[in-house]
Amino acid sequence: MKKRMLFISLALVLVLTVLIPGAALAAKSQPFYAAGAITGIEDTVVGENAFPAGESGRWRVIDREITGQLSGDVSGDFVMNYRANVELATQAGNLHGNLVVDDASFKVNGKIQPLEMVPTPLGIDLPKLTITGHWNLDGKGPGNGDFEAWVIFVPDEYGHVVMIIASSFIMEGK
């Protein structure tokens, strides 16, 4: 009886020795990378999706949609619905939203840096916004990382983004 118990214990130890490193490797995070462009933005409709925040010079964006394409670990057209609180003069502020591409959904939080004017091949300077932040995979297991995006755009008379001229969107993480 003791030999049988010793044999079973030894077999169990051997099986666990083989399985545990494999499970640890399987749980190891894999690098994540996707890059692409922002191609469109929903019109600003004052009183519907954007409101002045009193007399502060800030605007509250309630629900606005950005579209584009990504390729890499997720590929395809994406839609990001976001809300933001920005200073109209500089467009600087905070951004929070949800990005959906392929069958993946990501929660995003970011900072919009003050706009800068950049020269274009058209011979005119246009505003450029840079947005940096963090993302978390929403739902299908763990995943998180950082993103960086920029857009050069044509503004309306109030400074709202009307048309995107050039852009970049990069997501990295695990």
Side-chain angles (χ1 to χ4, degrees):
M1 186 64 161
K2 287 184 181 183
K3 284 184 181 183
R4 178 185 268 177
M5 195 61 134
L6 180 62
F7 178 72
I8 290 173
S9 296
L10 184 57
L12 184 58
V13 166
L14 288 173
V15 167
L16 289 175
T17 302
V18 170
L19 291 179
I20 289 176
L25 287 175
K28 185 176 180 182
S29 296
Q30 298 297 314
F32 176 91
Y33 181 84
I38 298 167
T39 56
I41 187 165
E42 180 180 20
D43 289 340
T44 299
V45 181
V46 176
E48 282 186 33
N49 64 0
F51 301 87
E55 301 296 320
S56 67
R58 298 188 69 79
W59 281 74
R60 292 179 335 136
V61 177
I62 302 304
D63 184 21
R64 200 165 180 200
E65 185 177 281
I66 294 172
T67 56
Q69 292 93 30
L70 286 172
S71 61
D73 290 320
V74 290
S75 292
D77 294 337
F78 74 80
V79 174
M80 183 172 85
N81 287 66
Y82 75 95
R83 64 187 186 284
N85 186 318
V86 299
E87 181 181 4
L88 184 58
T90 66
Q91 298 285 313
N94 296 314
L95 171 138
H96 309 281
N98 187 52
L99 182 140
V100 177
V101 60
D102 196 19
D103 64 347
S105 178
F106 302 88
K107 296 287 184 197
V108 294
N109 293 295
K111 291 269 186 209
I112 305 167
Q113 305 304 312
L115 64 84
E116 60 182 301
M117 299 302 286
V118 296
T120 67
L122 304 172
I124 60 171
D125 291 350
L126 287 176
K128 176 183 179 183
L129 285 176
T130 300
I131 306 159
T132 57
H134 188 76
W135 59 265
N136 290 300
L137 185 59
D138 191 22
K140 295 184 176 181
N144 63 71
D146 296 318
F147 72 89
E148 182 173 320
W150 58 263
V151 293
I152 297 172
F153 66 96
V154 174
D156 67 9
E157 66 270 20
Y158 303 107
H160 301 293
V161 178
V162 173
M163 181 172 49
I164 295 170
I165 303 298
S167 67
S168 173
F169 189 76
I170 298 172
M171 298 173 70
E172 294 183 282
K174 294 193 181 266

